[in-house]
Amino acid sequence: MSEIESAAPPAPVVSADPVEIAGGVYVLPDGRVPLVPNAGIVLGTRAALVVDTGMGPANGAHVLERARALAGDRPLILTLTHFHPEHGFGAQVFENEALIVYNAAQRDELGEKGEAYIGMFRGFGESVAEQLVDVRLVHPHVTYDGPSAEIDLGGRTVRLLTWGLAHTRGDQVVLLPDESVMFGGDLFETRMFPIVPYFPPDDADVDGDLWIDVLARVIDLAPAIVVPGHGEVTDVGVVEAVRDYLVALRDETAALKRDGLSADQVVEGLAPIVRKRYDDWDNPEWIDFGIRSFYDKAG
Ligand SMILES: [Zn+2]
């Protein structure tokens, strides 16, 4: 393999087989491949739930096929942790195969930003654009308003919980109370800097303060098994680590702004320090976005 080839990131292809993390609860692990999420499959006696699809129709088809293999002829339900392409833009293959359930904020955010995100992601390189060929955004069959919904899969009730704006406007965790399993989407990642999608003026719908509040609520729920949006399945320690990271980044950024530094100066001075502090975390490019987001909101 040439140096150039080995430097290129692997294609964002969902290729894993399901791994059972609790009785009847499966994850298709992301293998730490960029733009591949941890997708979930939860079996009840009467129905099965799929959490996140991967990006584009081929990845969605892989997740659907694995879900069908596990669920047999039980009806499928699809929900998403949030609208971002690598989590939900494979939903089209589920349109006639599953009942699609989002919260109202997810539905609205997808409708408002979906097409622009397809364009943005196509710009990330050929292997990403390839997965987005023939992508089509689909609307949910059912949405819920308010902070929560329950789905009875038969012998197992799943709670969908949303607290509004954080990583996106419609972040949703999927909690299995009996097994104490939580799917958290991009509210937290294992050993990766949290993704702060702060792209003003196109999309500035991320709020670090509210995100910190949401993580406190997640920690209060005390899930035993935590499935992050990306990275290894782990425990609630990952949520505490991300909260501590965001709190420190917010406070240090605000202090430097009060000292009169520009946003560029804060990034230049603070980002390398933060990078060193978390030297085993991946995706350090998100430090800069985090600093700029906190800087612009700091008083
Ligand atoms: Zn995301």
Side-chain angles (χ1 to χ4, degrees):
M1 186 181 280
S2 76
E3 269 180 45
I4 290 170
E5 280 169 341
S6 63
V13 173
V14 179
S15 57
D17 289 322
V19 174
E20 193 168 23
I21 60 167
V25 183
Y26 298 83
V27 170
L28 277 66
D30 71 333
R32 299 186 75 82
V33 175
L35 299 180
V36 169
N38 286 313
I41 299 166
V42 182
L43 302 181
T45 56
R46 287 198 303 272
L49 177 72
V50 176
V51 182
D52 287 355
T53 66
M55 181 173 56
N59 285 322
H62 176 87
V63 175
L64 174 61
E65 190 259 321
R66 292 301 191 274
R68 273 274 167 250
L70 288 167
D73 55 10
R74 279 170 277 199
L76 297 179
I77 300 166
L78 169 69
T79 198
L80 304 181
T81 57
H82 60 302
F83 87 98
H84 277 156
E86 80 272 31
H87 295 269
F89 284 18
Q92 68 200 71
V93 302
F94 288 83
E95 195 174 24
N96 299 313
E97 300 286 331
L99 181 74
I100 303 178
V101 182
Y102 301 163
N103 66 53
Q106 280 180 326
R107 174 201 58 203
D108 295 346
E109 198 168 21
L110 177 66
E112 207 175 298
K113 303 177 185 171
E115 292 295 342
Y117 265 76
I118 292 173
M120 187 202 303
F121 273 57
R122 279 186 175 138
F124 290 170
E126 207 175 302
S127 69
V128 178
E130 203 174 304
Q131 297 304 323
L132 291 169
V133 172
D134 295 331
V135 72
R136 185 171 56 80
L137 301 178
V138 297
H139 293 289
H141 301 114
V142 177
T143 56
Y144 66 94
D145 293 305
S148 67
E150 288 197 347
I151 300 176
D152 182 356
L153 297 176
R156 163 176 275 154
T157 299
V158 175
R159 296 187 72 200
L160 309 180
L161 300 168
T162 181
W163 297 282
L165 179 64
H167 166 75
T168 62
R169 273 192 235 155
D171 301 301
Q172 169 181 275
V173 305
V174 177
L175 180 67
L176 315 182
D178 293 341
E179 298 77 15
S180 196
V181 174
M182 179 186 283
F183 293 85
D186 287 346
L187 290 170
F188 37 82
E189 329 288 4
T190 300
R191 216 163 41 72
M192 296 178 197
F193 289 94
I195 298 162
V196 179
Y198 186 61
F199 313 126
D202 300 324
D203 186 358
D205 286 332
V206 53
D207 189 304
D209 283 311
L210 295 175
W211 191 341
I212 289 164
D213 293 344
V214 165
L215 294 179
R217 291 167 184 265
V218 168
I219 292 164
D220 281 346
L221 290 167
I225 301 172
V226 169
V227 184
H230 303 272
E232 293 78 7
V233 175
T234 180
D235 59 30
V236 75
V238 73
V239 188
E240 294 163 347
V242 170
R243 178 206 50 195
D244 293 349
Y245 165 84
L246 290 172
V247 167
L249 198 69
R250 175 189 64 187
D251 294 350
E252 288 168 327
T253 297
L256 293 168
K257 185 176 182 180
R258 280 196 300 274
D259 288 345
L261 273 66
S262 70
D264 287 344
Q265 288 170 321
V266 178
V267 167
E268 198 182 320
L270 183 57
I273 296 168
V274 173
R275 178 77 193 94
K276 266 195 205 120
R277 198 180 292 162
Y278 295 91
D279 62 356
D280 64 341
W281 285 17
D282 291 334
N283 308 342
E285 66 275 14
W286 291 113
I287 302 170
D288 297 14
F289 290 94
I291 290 172
R292 290 184 193 282
S293 169
F294 280 126
Y295 186 95
D296 287 349
K297 290 195 168 89

